[in-house]
Amino acid sequence: GSSSTSTAGSGAAGGGKVGIDYPRADSDFWNSYIKYVPQMAAEQKVDLMPATNSQNDVGKLVSNVQALVGQGAKAIVMAPQDTGAIASTLQQLENKKIPVVSVDTRPDKGKVSMVVRADNRAYGTKACEFLGEKLGGKGKVVELMGSLSSVNGRDRAEAFRECMKTKFPGITVFEEPTEWEGSKAASMLQTRLEQNPDIKGIYMHAGGVHLAPTLQVLKQKNLLVPPGDPKHVFVISNDGIPEELAAIRKGEIDATVSQPADLYAKYAMFYAKASLDGKTFKAGPTDHDSTIIQLPNGLEDQLPAPLVTKDNVDDKNLWGNQVK
Amino acid sequence: MKYHVEARNVVKRFGPTVALNGASIAIAEGETHALVGRNGAGKSTLVSILTGLQPADEGEVLFAGEPAPALADRDAWRRRVACVYQKSTIIPALTVAENLFLNRQTDGGVIRWRALRARARELLDTYEVDVDVQALAGDLSVEQRQLVEIARALSFGARFIILDEPTARLDGPAIERLFARMRSLREQGVTMMYISHHLDEVYEICQSVTVFRDARHIVTRPVAGFSHDELVGAMTGEATAAYQARARTPGERVVLAGEGLSLAGRYREVDLAVRSGEVVGLAGSASSGKVGLAETLVGLRKPDAGTVTVNGVRVRPGDVPSALRAGLGFVPEDRHHEGFVPLLSVAENATIPVAGKLGRFGTVSPSRQRARAVQLIDDLDIKTEGPGQPVGDLSGGNAQKVVFARALVDDPSALVVINPTAGVDVKAKQALLGAVEDAVERGAGAVLVSDDLDDLRVCDRVLVMFHGRVVKDVPRGWTDHELVAVMEGIEQ
Amino acid sequence: MTTLTASPAPRVRLARFRDLTLVPVILILLVVGAFLDPTFLTSGNLTNVLQQQAAISLLVLAEAMILISGKFDLSLESTVGMAPAIAVMMVIPASAGGFGLGLPGSLVIPLCLLVGAAIGAFNGFLIIKFQLSAFIVTLAMLIIVHGLQLGPTQGKTLFELPDSILYLGSAVWLGLPASIWIAGVLFAAGIAGLAYFRIGRALYAIGGNIDAARAAGIRVNRVLWGVFILGGTLAALAGVLETGRLGAIGSNQGVGWIFMVFAAAVIGGVSMDGGKGTILGALTGVLVIGLVQNILTLKGVSGFWQPVVYGAIILVALIISRIAGGKAQD
Amino acid sequence: MTTLTASPAPRVRLARFRDLTLVPVILILLVVGAFLDPTFLTSGNLTNVLQQQAAISLLVLAEAMILISGKFDLSLESTVGMAPAIAVMMVIPASAGGFGLGLPGSLVIPLCLLVGAAIGAFNGFLIIKFQLSAFIVTLAMLIIVHGLQLGPTQGKTLFELPDSILYLGSAVWLGLPASIWIAGVLFAAGIAGLAYFRIGRALYAIGGNIDAARAAGIRVNRVLWGVFILGGTLAALAGVLETGRLGAIGSNQGVGWIFMVFAAAVIGGVSMDGGKGTILGALTGVLVIGLVQNILTLKGVSGFWQPVVYGAIILVALIISRIAGGKAQD
Ligand SMILES: Nc1ncnc2c1ncn2[C@@H]1O[C@H](COP(=O)(O)OP(=O)(O)OP(=O)(O)O)[C@@H](O)[C@H]1O
Ligand SMILES: Nc1ncnc2c1ncn2[C@@H]1O[C@H](COP(=O)(O)OP(=O)(O)OP(=O)(O)O)[C@@H](O)[C@H]1O
Ligand SMILES: [Mg+2]
Ligand SMILES: [Mg+2]
């Protein structure tokens, strides 16, 4: 059966304070999320505590959670960028009967009441399919990877690699470990294009850091030409920030997978409040175009992550079209 | 009377220490004026105030009757006074040429290195300093560095020059050359302040002398008619007899021996044996290899060939700890380099070699350490606030005594001392030479390396080195002239 | 005799105070913290602060000893993740991401410490025997050691860990987390060792003037090597504590710590030039940093501005300790 | 006279060679690179290497001067991102993420350099006037300056940049990227300035023995302050070049560079203890690091093992330069 996930609030009754930790403050995607959270909390009347920021350091995340609990948080929203090292903290929170909503990442171990996340493996697969079709199953592709020690980066890379191997064995993939750094991305792409001038596709793991350097390198090499031109290099990105959408409109890049920052914030707040209110959910499709799946240690609401191309770039529902 | 330089009622404190307590000095135009006093009397502190390196807490400095320039105006100071500081102001990583012309490599615009080198060579040639102007200053010997500093200070053309113990590290001929230079400067009307612990030098080169004691001015008088004993009396505040070397009969046991020692470029095929109860001097002119040999005996250098035996134990070549364990104590040539750890206390510096004996299970008992240090401070008459004072805060001579204390702390059966009295005042010198003789009377054997003929008088025999070889074994009773002749290679 | 022994006493006490120039800063932080948030002065929160700082404090202890002896070790931070990761991989089955060596799980802590010691020994070898620059050797080792964790684990988090490695970081002894006890005992040993033991004093002599130390008969190379090995071992132990606290070994464990480690040691009075500072001072540095972080977390200062506040507090702490200490720093 | 001038000649050559102990390493890298990949020795690829290193090389130039004068600056890396970000925000409209000050876009480069100079001046003020430890002051400033970028930008990447700031980093002059020319000219100026001008020699004197430098009449504080200001300005200029190369200012621009900057300077022969090393040597250090990175990218070494290979190459370079130079490092 399907579960009702209507957002009709029941006031701040049965509630309690919700503590939230942001994973980092240095990427455009997360900054959009950070901006959405208070807005969504207000809409849903969630009693949100001052947020902490773990700066991509799981040790800090653990300290922050301890502090939040110490200050009286009754539910925790977090986004552990290291999904293994959070296990013992989740265990402690479970012992204290504090529900946890994990955003964007799925903890390997330890109970979570809900994981709110788009499927990062799906990003990789979508990018692979898009590039594979555009290149007609042959040619060379550069993959600007994120940090190898981040799960999301790894999920995207693994799915992309598997898909390429099985569906487009004729395509050569160059994997570049950019550590989410624009500078490294520019250098690696430039070097690779020098070595293989016939590269025809680029997959960027993170539009926020990879977009501008990629365009700059392509421009320098006179490769920034419209899709019709034989010199065109197909570029697909991840994140869906406004600048990516603008680049799609200008024809500079071809597509992006929009990672829904707004939905992350909205459903993080929704499930935190719901768990405080004692609501429970079951696996199955939801009322917001997503599916809840069962995990060994909880549930996961897999939010939609639409592929954006020139055709649907002006869709009002894309979060990248809503911010300014 | 018109004074070229005057300091009036200067007070300078360093924390609890009063280095100068209302001290004054007045130096007449064109004279060479000696400043003498015991270690820690405040001489170098006065120098730093007279050269504008440090402000005085109270009092004033006048040049030709005018108040001294502001501390920040270094150029004005440098026009008025040039100085050879007691503590080296050589920059080791730069070449000799650049050190000589530091901050005046050019009058402006591009530095012309070739011309600068030529000027440097010319300057050094006038002092007969035989060093490569392109060598890094850090590669020079202590003595060569000192000569470079002197040449630099004298080359400024300043009308007032301060020399703070310039001869402490020089041998006889170099001192003679320095004095010749000073005399010619004086003929040109240059005023000089000369600090030394060698009082005979004061008589040789200076016209008047000021004595400081305990941070105060004691007396200023013309040198002529100021007897040696009176001068020493003014410095020490008591009558002091000249040092009398003691007579001994050496024992039979060899406590320190070197056999077939060679080190390329320093010395060749040296044999030597020091018996218990014997002081053996090691003399030689510059580059004779005496220091290199002494450093080999103590393990600071590893010889290319040969063995060193301490107390019958063959020590590992180039290994200081094994030499110390065999019963050796030593005073290295340069106290700043190998002598002491400036941040550590007197007590700690003096007791490092016996740290293992000051407590159980690897501990060092602070009270036993202090007790041992207090005893050494007493024995060697070290002027310090207490055993807890960092050695870096002591005056030069007192720091040297701490190094001596370290050498003696383990009651060594063999003692090697290199230039032990460099920068040490008359009375302290007696204390240090006395300490060597005391140790020898307790049955130790000692090697004393020195450029100072007075020091060598305590030796039972003096080995003279020339170009890396021991050329003569001179028994007690030599005259200065005889020994110098052998050292210069004139007579064999 | 009496005058001589009586006069140094006040100096000693003054010298001791010099190590404790951060005490006023700590007091101010306690007062300010209590004022800003009621949770702050609760024993639960303060225990958390100590527990959170336990692992990093061991690195500070190690770095302080290395700095006092005039050297440098940047690679400690990578050892924090790599040593436990490699040790764990040696004991867990291949199916859980291990090497499949089949060693017993009880060996994991000794193995971990051994790995840390080996890294320290290798650093020491290059720096002492080869006379290479400590800064650059350990910088290269920081990169290499981290790579030696990333390579075998393929960047993945290890979360199926033997219980033995989890115990120390998560156990509670006599009402306090075990890691606090461990750090406390090691700091006490460090304070005593450097103040009252020959070997500890040798570190000061070596850092203060290495040639003089050698001339005084200290076996400089041996001591320095020992310090590097001890440093690596302490870093590995820090890794054990951190692993227990987090319940897993992430691929970034320890990354980025080294700056904070230096900051703690240096504001605590340990000189980068060697020969100066005490372990007690370094400990006060750790506490200041822990308290600042805790207060910022409790107040929920915006993540964007947090670094500014944090850096500014370190600067102010530095200035206060400069004024209280009265000596120029280096 | 002839004997006197004849003998020193070989010494000069030797002393010069001492700065160039990395030349054999560079040659080996060129040979190995050519062997491993045919693209490597093409002028296009080598130009890319130089362009990629241009921005970081300015930091190395700045850090080398600061190290030679015996100080330390870690905060340079944060200035690389913060100075251009703040400058850009002063000129772009509020709608594009700016402060809305309405200053003309042509001012952006002068503003950026000014911000860099101001950061350097503040560092210098704390270190020289307050006599605080350079390491810890600039560590705190590293954190603060980065925060001063994160705060106003709210961590966002600035995409809408005035053309003037993009020009230098992306223009091509006479067939070579402008950034290579700029870095080349500045290095030439640095080499000449430190070798042939009094002010440059003063840096060596100050770093070699600050008391002696003061005694020789060098205005030590003024010179040091100038060096910090120049360092901050160069870092800001590096930020301009990097911004032009990347086409945007990310919130992480420059972050993590400082370790590489030190590595380049130190393997290039600049001493962490001051007074030693040359700008030319530092330049060879930059080239080694750039070539190693390029070869690793061309060969596509697995991301997980890349750090190990990279670190190991740095160590080997260090050992080779140690053997070629013949002197112990510090
Ligand atoms: N920087 C300092 N800090 C603390 N005390 C100092 C400092 N400089 C000098 N002193 C103290 O001031 C006193 C005078 O020292 P100064 O160096 O002037 O003596 P001096 O007469 O030159 O002795 P010497 O003949 O041994 O060179 C000594 O007691 C010394 O310990
Ligand atoms: N650090 C050094 N490196 C190279 N050569 C040196 C060094 N120190 C001294 N020498 C040279 O070794 C030779 C012997 O020096 P040694 O110091 O043993 O003789 P010395 O009689 O003590 O000379 P001096 O009286 O000048 O100190 C000299 O030619 C000297 O210039
Ligand atoms: Mg003196
Ligand atoms: Mg000599």
Side-chain angles (χ1 to χ4, degrees):
Chain A
S2 82
S3 57
S4 156
T5 54
S6 78
T7 52
S10 53
K17 289 197 279 187
V18 174
I20 185 164
D21 182 82
Y22 300 137
R24 53 199 305 162
D26 56 1
S27 94
D28 295 83
F29 171 75
W30 284 111
N31 287 317
S32 303
Y33 168 77
I34 291 171
K35 225 167 69 187
Y36 279 119
V37 165
Q39 191 184 325
M40 298 294 182
E43 274 174 23
Q44 303 180 45
K45 305 206 173 56
V46 175
D47 182 5
L48 200 60
M49 296 166 58
T52 59
N53 191 312
S54 50
Q55 289 157 344
N56 205 23
D57 175 349
V58 72
K60 258 199 197 108
L61 172 57
V62 173
S63 315
N64 289 349
V65 168
Q66 277 180 342
L68 289 170
V69 170
Q71 287 173 301
K74 292 284 174 268
I76 295 285
V77 177
M78 61 165 83
Q81 300 292 290
D82 183 328
T83 52
I86 197 66
S88 58
T89 305
L90 292 177
Q91 184 62 47
Q92 285 161 20
L93 290 172
E94 188 186 355
N95 294 346
K96 291 185 179 149
K97 304 227 170 345
I98 294 176
V100 173
V101 176
S102 174
V103 178
D104 187 48
T105 54
R106 177 199 294 167
D108 298 307
K109 229 169 113 184
K111 173 127 183 65
V112 283
S113 68
M114 187 63 77
V115 177
V116 175
R117 132 175 228 260
D119 186 352
N120 276 276
R121 292 189 57 88
Y123 296 2
T125 311
K126 277 181 186 167
C128 155
E129 285 167 352
F130 179 86
L131 285 178
E133 278 162 29
K134 292 285 180 195
L135 269 63
K138 56 182 194 309
K140 294 174 178 171
V141 165
V142 173
E143 181 186 11
L144 297 177
M145 301 192 289
S147 165
L148 297 170
S149 47
S150 113
V151 224
N152 286 342
R154 228 167 34 225
D155 275 0
R156 293 171 201 182
E158 273 170 13
F160 189 79
R161 195 181 300 137
E162 271 168 32
C163 159
M164 278 290 175
K165 212 184 264 165
T166 52
K167 293 191 188 156
F168 307 103
I171 290 184
T172 314
V173 178
F174 296 104
E175 299 184 343
E176 315 295 348
T178 74
E179 299 289 320
W180 308 121
E181 283 175 32
S183 179
K184 283 213 176 88
S187 301
M188 288 172 168
L189 182 60
Q190 190 184 37
T191 301
R192 194 62 74 205
L193 280 169
E194 191 72 39
Q195 187 186 35
N196 297 279
D198 52 344
I199 282 169
K200 280 285 169 267
I202 297 172
Y203 171 34
M204 310 187 291
H205 276 196
V209 284
H210 293 150
L211 176 68
T214 299
L215 294 182
Q216 205 71 359
V217 170
L218 291 178
K219 195 154 78 188
Q220 198 200 355
K221 298 249 169 210
N222 293 318
L223 293 172
L224 209 52
V225 292
D229 194 304
K231 275 170 72 186
H232 181 75
V233 177
F234 290 93
V235 181
I236 177 163
S237 181
N238 258 174
D239 281 0
I241 59 172
E243 284 77 12
E244 285 167 66
L245 303 187
I248 291 174
R249 282 187 199 102
K250 281 196 255 173
E252 291 175 337
I253 69 170
D254 301 273
T256 185
V257 180
S258 172
Q259 173 158 281
D262 54 340
L263 298 185
Y264 274 24
K266 177 171 172 183
Y267 288 99
M269 290 301 107
F270 171 78
Y271 287 115
K273 187 166 163 57
S275 60
L276 284 178
D277 294 343
K279 281 191 205 156
T280 54
F281 301 90
K282 283 201 293 277
T286 66
D287 62 355
H288 50 270
D289 295 333
S290 69
T291 316
I292 293 181
I293 61 164
Q294 183 70 49
L295 304 175
N297 50 347
L299 297 168
E300 175 171 317
D301 187 351
Q302 294 200 314
L303 298 174
L307 181 73
V308 183
T309 60
K310 200 142 193 161
D311 305 331
N312 62 345
V313 68
D314 291 321
D315 186 342
K316 292 267 174 322
N317 289 325
L318 294 174
W319 70 272
N321 281 332
Q322 294 173 357
V323 289
K324 222 341 119 195
Chain B
M1 172 115 192
K2 178 151 163 35
Y3 293 116
H4 186 72
V5 182
E6 235 181 313
R8 291 189 190 146
N9 302 318
V10 175
V11 177
K12 181 72 191 175
R13 297 183 196 89
F14 294 104
T17 311
V18 183
L20 289 173
N21 190 358
S24 301
I25 193 167
I27 302 175
E29 180 89 48
E31 77 172 352
T32 303
H33 191 110
L35 175 61
V36 299
R38 299 204 54 192
N39 294 128
K43 303 181 294 295
S44 299
T45 307
L46 183 70
V47 170
S48 73
I49 289 168
L50 284 179
T51 54
L53 283 192
Q54 284 184 342
D57 296 337
E58 289 168 36
E60 56 181 344
V61 174
L62 305 172
F63 289 104
E66 305 276 325
L71 224 50
D73 191 359
R74 290 294 313 158
D75 287 336
W77 281 95
R78 290 214 300 163
R79 278 194 301 277
R80 285 171 178 75
V81 49
C83 181
V84 176
Y85 292 97
Q86 184 173 19
K87 205 170 155 208
S88 171
T89 57
I90 285 289
I91 297 175
L94 299 183
T95 62
V96 169
E98 188 160 11
N99 267 292
L100 285 172
F101 293 99
L102 197 62
N103 201 32
R104 48 185 184 129
Q105 297 98 333
T106 154
D107 296 332
V110 177
I111 298 173
R112 290 168 50 235
W113 286 108
R114 187 184 284 272
L116 186 76
R117 284 197 293 269
R119 273 161 70 202
R121 213 169 289 126
E122 205 176 303
L123 175 58
L124 291 183
D125 284 349
T126 56
Y127 295 95
E128 297 171 50
V129 181
D130 179 27
V131 299
D132 178 358
V133 295
Q134 282 180 270
L136 294 183
D139 290 342
L140 300 186
S141 69
V142 182
E143 183 166 15
Q144 290 169 325
R145 254 183 268 185
Q146 183 72 0
L147 291 170
V148 170
E149 295 224 38
I150 292 171
R152 174 168 70 185
L154 301 191
S155 70
F156 273 101
R159 305 300 299 161
F160 177 45
I161 296 171
I162 300 178
L163 298 140
D164 191 352
E165 301 194 31
T167 56
R169 312 196 165 284
L170 299 187
D171 67 356
I175 294 174
E176 276 317 313
R177 287 199 293 276
L178 171 66
F179 284 178
R181 189 72 198 165
M182 286 174 69
R183 284 193 193 96
S184 94
L185 284 169
R186 197 170 87 79
E187 278 158 22
Q188 295 160 32
V190 174
T191 310
M192 282 174 277
M193 181 167 115
Y194 183 81
I195 300 176
S196 177
H197 291 295
H198 296 250
L199 298 183
D200 36 346
E201 292 174 4
V202 169
Y203 285 99
E204 184 176 346
I205 197 81
C206 301
Q207 287 80 56
S208 41
V209 56
T210 292
V211 179
F212 275 14
R213 186 170 76 227
D214 294 336
R216 290 173 193 277
H217 176 268
I218 299 298
V219 66
T220 298
R221 269 177 62 178
V223 169
F226 198 175
S227 81
H228 190 283
D229 288 348
E230 276 179 290
L231 183 53
V232 173
M235 285 167 63
T236 58
E238 60 198 23
T240 309
Y243 190 76
Q244 292 297 328
R246 305 170 219 170
R248 287 176 290 272
T249 19
E252 284 307 313
R253 198 164 56 89
V254 172
V255 292
L256 177 63
E259 274 167 50
L261 292 170
S262 289
L263 179 58
R266 308 298 293 263
Y267 55 83
R268 276 170 298 151
E269 293 150 31
V270 176
D271 294 308
L272 113 177
V274 181
R275 285 172 294 163
S276 158
E278 181 183 43
V279 184
V280 176
L282 211 49
S285 61
S287 307
S288 59
K290 59 185 187 297
V291 171
L293 176 61
E295 288 179 343
T296 307
L297 292 177
V298 304
L300 282 174
R301 287 183 193 281
K302 195 171 173 176
D304 298 334
T307 56
V308 174
T309 314
V310 178
N311 255 340
V313 182
R314 239 169 94 164
V315 297
R316 275 181 53 190
D319 187 55
V320 174
S322 91
L324 296 192
R325 220 176 314 117
L328 184 99
F330 73 96
V331 175
E333 182 185 26
D334 181 358
R335 60 173 171 264
H336 293 287
H337 181 216
E338 282 152 343
F340 59 86
V341 184
L343 291 169
L344 292 184
S345 68
V346 172
E348 191 140 12
N349 266 290
T351 58
I352 292 177
V354 292
K357 300 177 186 171
L358 292 174
R360 282 196 286 176
F361 313 119
T363 59
V364 181
S365 150
S367 59
R368 287 173 65 182
Q369 187 183 57
R370 190 168 329 118
R372 192 66 187 271
V374 166
Q375 181 201 335
L376 287 163
I377 290 170
D378 261 5
D379 287 353
L380 295 176
D381 191 19
I382 302 173
K383 186 167 184 264
T384 165
E385 286 164 27
Q389 188 177 22
V391 176
D393 289 352
L394 295 186
S395 76
N398 284 302
Q400 179 73 9
K401 290 187 196 170
V402 174
V403 180
F404 231 91
R406 188 183 82 187
L408 296 173
V409 69
D410 204 12
D411 210 358
S413 50
L415 195 59
V416 175
V417 295
I418 307 175
N419 287 341
T421 61
V424 173
D425 71 46
V426 261
K427 204 164 164 222
K429 194 168 173 174
Q430 300 185 357
L432 295 183
L433 292 177
V436 173
E437 294 204 89
D438 286 346
V440 169
E441 272 165 19
R442 287 195 300 269
V447 173
L448 195 158
V449 183
S450 184
D451 292 321
D452 186 340
L453 297 186
D454 283 345
D455 289 359
L456 293 173
R457 284 191 208 292
V458 303
C459 300
D460 297 294
R461 57 195 173 99
V462 177
L463 298 178
V464 180
M465 293 185 71
F466 187 70
H467 285 335
R469 285 175 178 279
V470 174
V471 291
K472 193 159 183 183
D473 187 341
V474 186
R476 212 190 259 269
W478 38 268
T479 64
D480 287 10
H481 177 77
E482 283 167 14
L483 198 64
V484 169
V486 183
M487 281 161 63
E488 302 287 305
I490 297 166
E491 183 219 324
Q492 293 256 331
Chain C
M1 203 60 197
T2 39
T3 52
L4 259 174
T5 42
S7 81
R11 255 200 94 87
V12 179
R13 240 170 272 142
L14 219 130
R16 281 234 181 104
F17 278 136
R18 209 181 304 144
D19 307 333
L20 299 179
T21 51
L22 281 185
V23 169
V25 177
I26 293 178
L27 293 178
I28 293 173
L29 285 173
L30 287 176
V31 171
V32 169
F35 191 75
L36 288 176
D37 196 293
T39 336
F40 178 74
L41 265 192
T42 59
S43 72
N45 184 58
L46 293 180
T47 308
N48 284 348
V49 172
L50 291 181
Q51 192 195 356
Q52 286 154 16
Q53 294 302 107
I56 204 170
S57 76
L58 296 189
L59 254 67
V60 174
L61 174 60
E63 196 69 71
M65 291 192 292
I66 295 172
L67 284 176
I68 286 172
S69 58
K71 293 289 173 188
F72 224 91
D73 192 350
L74 299 170
S75 70
L76 295 177
E77 71 160 38
S78 298
T79 307
V80 171
M82 182 271 205
I86 297 297
V88 163
M89 289 181 74
M90 288 202 253
V91 304
I92 58 177
S95 62
F99 296 127
L101 300 183
L103 294 173
S106 59
L107 275 187
V108 69
I109 290 184
L111 282 173
C112 174
L113 300 185
L114 218 63
V115 171
I119 296 170
F122 186 68
N123 281 332
F125 172 74
L126 289 179
I127 294 165
I128 299 160
K129 297 281 155 177
F130 252 99
Q131 298 186 294
L132 300 177
S133 146
F135 178 86
I136 189 82
V137 162
T138 59
L139 172 55
M141 285 297 287
L142 170 122
I143 301 171
I144 293 174
V145 171
H146 189 55
L148 289 178
Q149 176 183 2
L150 284 186
T153 61
Q154 291 291 300
K156 292 207 191 80
T157 300
L158 294 168
F159 53 89
E160 289 186 33
L161 306 180
D163 286 340
S164 59
I165 202 172
L166 291 175
Y167 176 73
L168 288 181
S170 54
V172 174
W173 295 342
L174 308 177
L176 274 185
S179 51
I180 299 182
W181 287 109
I182 293 173
V185 167
L186 288 173
F187 263 89
I191 291 168
L194 262 67
Y196 297 110
F197 281 76
R198 196 179 157 195
I199 180 88
R201 301 312 299 173
L203 297 190
Y204 286 92
I206 293 171
N209 182 349
I210 193 167
D211 293 313
R214 200 170 270 134
I218 293 171
R219 297 214 174 265
V220 171
N221 287 359
R222 203 178 288 181
V223 173
L224 281 178
W225 210 343
V227 171
F228 275 106
I229 293 175
L230 182 59
T233 312
L234 283 172
L237 183 58
V240 172
L241 297 187
E242 188 69 359
T243 303
R245 184 166 83 94
L246 303 180
I249 305 171
S251 55
N252 274 332
Q253 181 160 307
V255 170
W257 284 18
I258 200 70
F259 269 156
M260 281 308 113
V261 168
F262 273 95
V266 176
I267 63 175
V270 177
S271 161
M272 305 268 297
D273 294 344
K276 236 188 277 180
T278 63
I279 302 298
L280 187 57
L283 181 60
T284 61
V286 177
L287 292 179
V288 165
I289 295 217
L291 290 174
V292 170
Q293 278 173 345
N294 185 248
I295 292 174
L296 290 181
T297 304
L298 288 175
K299 281 315 290 173
V301 174
S302 143
F304 303 116
W305 289 104
Q306 212 170 25
V308 178
V309 181
Y310 186 52
I313 293 179
I314 292 187
L315 271 189
V316 171
L318 194 65
I319 293 172
I320 295 180
S321 93
R322 160 85 175 78
I323 292 168
K327 281 220 171 176
Q329 299 166 331
D330 43 30
Chain D
M1 206 55 198
T2 39
T3 51
L4 261 174
T5 43
S7 81
R11 260 201 94 87
V12 181
R13 245 168 269 142
L14 221 131
R16 282 233 179 104
F17 277 137
R18 210 180 301 142
D19 307 332
L20 300 179
T21 50
L22 279 184
V23 169
V25 176
I26 293 178
L27 293 179
I28 294 173
L29 285 173
L30 287 177
V31 171
V32 170
F35 190 75
L36 288 177
D37 196 291
T39 331
F40 178 74
L41 265 193
T42 60
S43 73
N45 184 58
L46 293 179
T47 308
N48 286 347
V49 172
L50 292 181
Q51 192 196 356
Q52 287 156 18
Q53 294 302 109
I56 204 171
S57 76
L58 296 190
L59 254 67
V60 174
L61 174 60
E63 195 69 71
M65 291 192 293
I66 295 173
L67 284 176
I68 286 173
S69 58
K71 294 289 173 189
F72 224 91
D73 191 351
L74 299 170
S75 70
L76 295 177
E77 71 160 38
S78 298
T79 307
V80 172
M82 182 270 203
I86 297 298
V88 163
M89 289 181 73
M90 288 201 251
V91 303
I92 58 176
S95 62
F99 296 127
L101 300 183
L103 294 173
S106 58
L107 276 186
V108 69
I109 290 184
L111 282 172
C112 174
L113 300 184
L114 218 64
V115 170
I119 296 170
F122 186 67
N123 282 331
F125 172 74
L126 290 178
I127 295 166
I128 299 160
K129 297 280 156 179
F130 252 103
Q131 297 187 295
L132 299 177
S133 146
F135 178 85
I136 190 82
V137 163
T138 58
L139 173 55
M141 285 297 287
L142 169 120
I143 302 171
I144 294 174
V145 171
H146 189 54
L148 289 178
Q149 175 183 1
L150 286 185
T153 61
Q154 293 289 301
K156 287 213 202 75
T157 303
L158 294 168
F159 284 96
E160 291 185 36
L161 307 181
D163 286 340
S164 60
I165 201 173
L166 291 175
Y167 177 73
L168 288 181
S170 55
V172 174
W173 296 341
L174 306 178
L176 272 185
S179 52
I180 299 183
W181 288 108
I182 294 173
V185 167
L186 288 172
F187 264 89
I191 291 170
L194 262 69
Y196 292 105
F197 287 83
R198 254 169 75 176
I199 179 84
R201 302 311 299 173
L203 298 189
Y204 286 92
I206 294 171
N209 183 344
I210 194 165
D211 293 320
R214 205 167 265 136
I218 294 170
R219 293 176 186 282
V220 171
N221 287 359
R222 199 177 291 181
V223 173
L224 281 178
W225 210 342
V227 171
F228 274 107
I229 293 175
L230 183 59
T233 313
L234 282 173
L237 183 59
V240 172
L241 297 187
E242 186 71 357
T243 302
R245 185 167 81 96
L246 303 183
I249 304 173
S251 57
N252 272 332
Q253 182 161 306
V255 169
W257 284 19
I258 201 70
F259 269 154
M260 280 309 113
V261 168
F262 273 96
V266 176
I267 63 174
V270 177
S271 161
M272 304 268 298
D273 294 346
K276 254 182 257 178
T278 62
I279 302 297
L280 187 57
L283 181 61
T284 62
V286 177
L287 291 179
V288 165
I289 295 210
L291 291 174
V292 170
Q293 279 172 346
N294 185 251
I295 292 175
L296 289 182
T297 303
L298 285 174
K299 281 314 291 173
V301 175
S302 146
F304 298 115
W305 290 104
Q306 218 173 43
V308 178
V309 180
Y310 186 51
I313 294 179
I314 292 186
L315 271 189
V316 172
L318 195 64
I319 293 173
I320 295 179
S321 96
R322 160 83 176 80
I323 292 169
K327 281 219 167 177
Q329 300 165 333
D330 42 30

